[in-house]
Amino acid sequence: MLNEIWVTVFTLIKSIVGDVDVKNKGTLQKQIDDCFTSASNGKAAIASAITGKGVSTASDATFATMATNIGNIKTSPMLQAKNAALSTTAQTIKPDTGYDGLSQVSVPAVSGNAGTGDVLANKTFSSGSAGISKTGTMPNKGAWTGATTGSGNVAIPAGYHNGSGYVSGAGAYNAGISAADARVNTNSANYKGGYNAGVSAADGRVNADSANYKGGYNAGVSATKKGTAGAGDVLSGKTFTNGSSVGASGTMPNKGAWTGATTGSGNVAIPAGYHNGSGYVSGTGAYNAGVSATKKGTAGTGDVLAGKTFTNSSSVEVSGTMANKGSTTQDATATQDDTYTYLTVPVAGYYNTASKLRTKNSNLAHTVNNCFRVTPGASVLVRAVATLWGTAVNFHGGSIFYLDGITKITASKVAGVTARLQLIPYNVENYSGDIGNSHKVDIGDTLTGNFTGYYVVTPYVNASNTTTVSNSTKSVTLKVDFL
């Protein structure tokens, strides 16, 4: 058995590498080594060939394993024949367990004889006669309707009808009636019915020219001549019968919804006739005349509180417009001079003793160590007297203020000579000013910086404008705005 395996192996090696030429191959050892190398390469090729036949074989497997695997190669695979049914989805056909593959797969052919005209338009189908995935062309008529016009036919269009359509017979029906009415058939029920109706109508009509009509009319009138109403008792345009007349006309005026108006204290006459109850006599004129007789007073609308009415020489019950500020608190604008603080009334109107005017404390000057405290938005007046001795100027005046968070200062002249504004830092401990660090600003200009602390705020005249003093004592008043 082993010899047979080796024969098989060497046969395979020979088939792969061919005959080995040992001529000119070197020493015997080299030839043996070359044989082993060729044998190793051939062994790997054999393993790959066996694996390719369906029996997995490693390249370093022993020759015995390779021989066994060669014996396991199937020379006659077991194949299976299968049938597949038609389906709306794709199918994958595989052999059952124990089979090496499929010999055939039988799929039935598409059947049916529907053509494209047998299937609704835009619908797809397959059939034996039309083919695969065809699109129908049958028109979809849905709920189609038609109408007759006479005794002829109404063609129904080809296509699919959903059962809700119809052909109206109204046209043919009306045409038949019209044709029947147009002809005369004395034997027809219509003719006979019309004849009898005519006879009946003739017997039932009133003929005012007949003797019967006149006799009956006169007898009836005589029997109904009753009543005491006269023409003036019946509305004009209406007729009536009384004991002496038949069909007499009334003469009573119809005043309907008549209206009248008063003009003073006199009466308003109501005209004779029928009044329907919707009329009236207006008292406005009399009322106004009475009011006019009492129109007195000089008050205007602005003199009377809003919500109150009054009468004056030209108007009656006029509404006042004066705003009522009684018992309210109003925000006022504060201004100051050297002596007083003034609060301006913000809105005109009525104020009582419970009314109040207010302004924020920051709008008023306060004292700090007996000095006025000035905050942004305040304005003050400063005054000084200048005396000239030759070319020297001496100013007396100004005021000490505590400036709190002031960043801008402007000055304008109120009265007196032309001057500048000077701010002198002031030490309240030793009552002295720091002239060397003073600030000056011309009228109309703005002094900017961060001013917080005590300052002497005073007008100032330098040598360049001493002529303004004119060798005498002059005063100057400046208005200073702090921002």
Side-chain angles (χ1 to χ4, degrees), residues 244-260:
S244 60
S245 303
V246 175
S249 296
T251 59
M252 180 191 297
N254 188 345
K255 295 297 182 180
W258 173 87
T259 60

Side-chain angles (χ1 to χ4, degrees), residues 445-461:
D445 290 341
T446 300
L447 178 63
T448 60
N450 185 9
F451 303 100
T452 298
Y454 295 94
Y455 289 86
V456 176
V457 181
T458 180
Y460 169 79
V461 176

Side-chain angles (χ1 to χ4, degrees), residues 459-480:
Y460 169 79
V461 176
N462 59 16
S464 65
N465 58 12
T466 55
T467 55
T468 305
V469 182
S470 301
N471 294 320
S472 62
T473 298
K474 295 291 184 179
S475 66
V476 57
T477 301
L478 300 180
K479 177 178 179 289
V480 185

Side-chain angles (χ1 to χ4, degrees), residues 257-439:
W258 173 87
T259 60
T262 59
T263 57
S265 60
N267 299 325
V268 177
I270 298 174
Y274 168 72
H275 295 256
N276 66 9
S278 297
Y280 58 85
V281 175
S282 171
T284 302
Y287 174 83
N288 291 335
V291 170
S292 296
T294 59
K295 277 185 180 178
K296 296 179 180 180
T298 59
T301 56
D303 302 321
V304 179
L305 280 175
K308 306 296 182 180
T309 59
F310 67 101
T311 298
N312 58 19
S313 60
S314 61
S315 304
V316 176
E317 201 172 2
V318 181
S319 296
T321 60
M322 181 191 298
N324 189 348
K325 300 299 180 180
S327 302
T328 64
T329 299
Q330 302 292 320
D331 290 320
T333 301
T335 56
Q336 294 177 302
D337 57 21
D338 290 342
T339 305
Y340 297 100
T341 296
Y342 302 92
L343 297 177
T344 302
V345 177
V347 180
Y350 166 74
Y351 294 81
N352 59 17
T353 57
S355 302
K356 297 178 182 179
L357 297 178
R358 69 182 183 185
T359 188
K360 292 183 178 180
N361 294 333
S362 60
N363 294 332
L364 300 176
H366 297 280
T367 60
V368 178
N369 291 333
N370 296 320
C371 296
F372 283 108
R373 175 175 174 269
V374 178
T375 57
S379 299
V380 300
L381 296 176
V382 293
R383 183 175 181 274
V385 176
T387 304
L388 177 66
W389 291 284
T391 59
V393 178
N394 186 18
F395 259 91
H396 300 279
S399 300
I400 300 173
F401 296 97
Y402 179 80
L403 305 186
D404 188 358
I406 304 300
T407 58
K408 294 181 180 180
I409 302 173
T410 60
S412 58
K413 186 176 77 171
V414 176
V417 299
T418 301
R420 305 172 76 193
L421 177 68
Q422 183 176 21
L423 269 73
I424 306 171
Y426 186 75
N427 189 327
V428 295
E429 301 295 331
N430 55 23
Y431 307 105
S432 62
D434 185 1
I435 299 295
N437 290 315
S438 64
H439 305 274

Side-chain angles (χ1 to χ4, degrees), residues 46-418:
I46 293 171
S48 176
I50 296 172
T51 300
K53 291 297 184 177
V55 181
S56 178
T57 303
S59 61
D60 59 350
T62 64
F63 284 116
T65 299
M66 290 184 178
T68 300
N69 290 348
I70 291 172
N72 291 332
I73 294 174
K74 291 184 178 182
T75 57
S76 299
M78 184 177 290
L79 302 179
Q80 181 185 19
K82 299 194 78 172
N83 295 323
L86 283 177
S87 173
T88 58
T89 59
Q91 302 180 68
T92 299
I93 311 300
K94 295 182 178 180
D96 296 336
T97 301
Y99 290 92
D100 298 313
L102 296 172
S103 60
Q104 66 177 20
V105 177
S106 299
V107 181
V110 174
S111 62
N113 59 3
T116 55
D118 302 321
V119 179
L120 277 176
N122 299 321
K123 302 295 182 179
T124 59
F125 70 102
S126 298
S127 71
S129 59
I132 305 299
S133 296
K134 298 299 182 180
T135 301
T137 59
M138 181 191 295
N140 189 345
K141 294 300 182 178
W144 174 86
T145 60
T148 59
T149 57
S151 60
N153 297 327
V154 177
I156 298 175
Y160 167 73
H161 294 256
N162 65 10
S164 296
Y166 58 83
V167 175
S168 171
Y173 177 83
N174 292 332
I177 290 177
S178 178
D181 289 342
R183 72 176 183 271
V184 176
N185 182 359
T186 57
N187 294 321
S188 68
N190 281 338
Y191 181 89
K192 294 177 180 180
Y195 176 84
N196 293 333
V199 172
S200 177
D203 290 340
R205 76 175 185 272
V206 176
N207 184 356
D209 294 327
S210 68
N212 285 334
Y213 179 89
K214 293 178 180 179
Y217 176 83
N218 292 331
V221 169
S222 296
T224 58
K225 272 187 180 180
K226 296 179 181 180
T228 59
D233 302 321
V234 179
L235 277 174
S236 176
K238 305 296 181 180
T239 59
F240 68 101
T241 296
N242 58 19
S244 60
S245 303
V246 175
S249 296
T251 59
M252 180 191 297
N254 188 345
K255 295 297 182 180
W258 173 87
T259 60
T262 59
T263 57
S265 60
N267 299 325
V268 177
I270 298 174
Y274 168 72
H275 295 256
N276 66 9
S278 297
Y280 58 85
V281 175
S282 171
T284 302
Y287 174 83
N288 291 335
V291 170
S292 296
T294 59
K295 277 185 180 178
K296 296 179 180 180
T298 59
T301 56
D303 302 321
V304 179
L305 280 175
K308 306 296 182 180
T309 59
F310 67 101
T311 298
N312 58 19
S313 60
S314 61
S315 304
V316 176
E317 201 172 2
V318 181
S319 296
T321 60
M322 181 191 298
N324 189 348
K325 300 299 180 180
S327 302
T328 64
T329 299
Q330 302 292 320
D331 290 320
T333 301
T335 56
Q336 294 177 302
D337 57 21
D338 290 342
T339 305
Y340 297 100
T341 296
Y342 302 92
L343 297 177
T344 302
V345 177
V347 180
Y350 166 74
Y351 294 81
N352 59 17
T353 57
S355 302
K356 297 178 182 179
L357 297 178
R358 69 182 183 185
T359 188
K360 292 183 178 180
N361 294 333
S362 60
N363 294 332
L364 300 176
H366 297 280
T367 60
V368 178
N369 291 333
N370 296 320
C371 296
F372 283 108
R373 175 175 174 269
V374 178
T375 57
S379 299
V380 300
L381 296 176
V382 293
R383 183 175 181 274
V385 176
T387 304
L388 177 66
W389 291 284
T391 59
V393 178
N394 186 18
F395 259 91
H396 300 279
S399 300
I400 300 173
F401 296 97
Y402 179 80
L403 305 186
D404 188 358
I406 304 300
T407 58
K408 294 181 180 180
I409 302 173
T410 60
S412 58
K413 186 176 77 171
V414 176
V417 299
T418 301

